[in-house]
Amino acid sequence: MRAAIVEAKRQHAIALRERVVPVDSPFAFSTFNWRPKGPQRLDTPVQLKPETPIDEISVRASAREALRDLSIFCIEDLSAISEQELLQEEAIGAKTVGRLREILARVGLDFLPNPNTEERAREQSKAVLALPYEARALALRNLEDSAPVSALGLRSSTLSRALANGHEVVGELRRLPLALLCENYGKREAREIYDLLMLTDRPFAGSAAPIELWRHGLVATKELSVPTAPETPIAQLRPWLGTSVDSLSACGIHTLGALRAAASRGEVASFRGIGRVTAERVVGFLGAYVTPQPYRRGMSVTAG
């Protein structure tokens, strides 16, 4: 409205000077048509080029002045500065930086990479982490050992631990044996790294069978498939039977088939080191998860 009043006064002064209206005609401002500008977008009719002056791009006057103070006079000059340096200017906020990034992209340019190595790694990791699962898996496929660990899309805490451990490239993580991976990282972090490295479809020193992952605390019992093959070593039943597998092994039970046979004969409770409660637990496990042959679920577990 202020601009409309100023313009009306200017037009009135011209009319008086040109004697279009009588000299004693008073100034009058009667009408004002206001139209909202609506959101400003980059849909400018100007054909943007690297040499386009910043005066022709749609940013606030204060932001434009701040750019000049940084010796940025055309779009191409923006490619010689990082986003972080721009954000240090009081007149330039995240929204303005987003517009400038879009302008740079339209002329095939980008900001200078973040000079802070760790911050730059966080930005890349966050970008990968934001991808849909399918796109992320595709990006990780056949990831080179020379790629930075941030290319895996690690969570911020995991990335910080990796950099603190001196693991800056994917190859350094890929060469870690499972035990060393779990020693250097927390359980959740180690599981995250393991899963992401497995998505790369390349050999990984820490690749292991599910039971090994369970022993190192990387998977929960409910994530394991219960073995049913008769030749399954009794030790692989530890996630479900706990330390009772040691007592069973000491009594000569070394496979799942041998345990099933002993249970069918009602011998489990008579084994040394196996009490009634443990025997019921063993038989209950066999009845719940393993095909109950040749014994019947609910059969007595005491020696006959």
Side-chain angles (χ1 to χ4, degrees):
M1 175 179 268
R2 184 182 297 110
I5 294 174
V6 170
E7 177 61 21
K9 286 182 176 180
R10 190 179 72 85
Q11 294 294 339
H12 180 67
I14 293 174
L16 290 175
R17 187 173 62 249
E18 299 295 332
R19 299 182 182 278
V20 175
V21 296
V23 178
D24 57 349
S25 295
F27 168 73
F29 181 75
S30 57
T31 60
F32 171 63
N33 294 323
W34 177 78
R35 292 188 181 88
K37 291 183 178 180
Q40 295 184 354
R41 300 186 59 83
L42 295 177
D43 304 328
T44 170
V46 177
Q47 180 64 43
L48 295 179
K49 298 178 182 178
E51 60 272 17
T52 299
I54 60 169
D55 290 335
E56 298 182 16
I57 63 180
S58 58
V59 294
R60 296 193 317 273
S62 58
R64 191 177 293 113
E65 188 62 33
L67 291 174
R68 290 196 192 94
D69 292 342
L70 293 170
S71 298
I72 297 172
F73 303 103
C74 66
I75 293 176
E76 188 175 25
D77 292 338
L78 288 167
S79 64
I81 194 169
S82 69
E83 294 186 30
Q84 288 65 37
E85 292 174 283
L86 286 177
L87 289 170
Q88 290 176 4
E89 297 295 318
E90 186 177 349
I92 301 177
K95 186 175 181 180
T96 298
V97 170
R99 286 184 178 178
L100 295 176
R101 188 190 309 114
E102 188 176 340
I103 288 172
L104 278 171
R106 288 174 61 177
V107 297
L109 297 174
D110 199 355
F111 287 116
L112 197 67
N114 191 333
N116 185 304
T117 304
E118 186 167 346
E119 286 185 7
R120 188 165 65 246
R122 290 181 187 279
E123 290 168 3
Q124 181 182 10
S125 189
K126 188 181 296 185
V128 176
L129 191 59
L131 292 172
Y133 180 81
E134 295 77 10
R136 189 181 180 195
L138 185 62
L140 294 181
R141 193 167 300 156
N142 298 318
L143 193 65
E144 295 294 333
D145 283 353
S146 58
V149 292
S150 53
L152 288 170
L154 297 168
R155 291 180 300 109
S156 180
S157 60
T158 309
L159 178 63
S160 295
R161 180 71 68 90
L163 297 176
N165 287 336
H167 301 145
E168 298 182 354
V169 297
V170 173
E172 292 170 335
L173 289 177
R174 195 189 303 283
R175 289 188 288 271
L176 288 177
L178 186 60
L180 195 55
L181 175 67
C182 295
E183 180 181 328
N184 289 336
Y185 294 87
K187 186 183 297 185
R188 183 180 178 187
E189 295 167 345
R191 173 66 186 269
E192 179 186 5
I193 291 172
Y194 182 89
D195 288 344
L196 291 175
L197 287 176
M198 294 301 288
L199 286 177
T200 65
D201 289 340
R202 300 189 63 197
F204 169 38
S207 300
I211 190 66
E212 285 300 312
L213 298 180
W214 177 84
R215 287 194 181 103
H216 286 88
L218 296 189
V219 300
T221 301
K222 63 182 179 181
E223 297 179 75
L224 298 175
S225 297
V226 180
T228 57
E231 63 274 15
T232 300
I234 195 71
Q236 291 192 17
L237 299 180
R238 189 177 296 275
W240 300 275
L241 301 183
T243 57
S244 60
V245 298
D246 298 326
S247 299
L248 292 170
S249 180
C251 293
I253 303 298
H254 301 297
T255 65
L256 175 59
L259 177 61
R260 291 166 63 184
S264 70
R265 297 191 296 269
E267 298 175 352
V268 177
S270 65
F271 290 148
R272 184 176 182 179
I274 300 292
R276 182 181 61 82
V277 173
T278 301
E280 290 177 351
R281 176 186 174 193
V282 170
V283 173
F285 162 76
L286 293 174
Y289 296 106
V290 184
T291 304
Q293 292 179 342
Y295 68 93
R296 298 185 309 278
R297 187 172 183 179
M299 178 182 292
S300 172
V301 296
T302 56

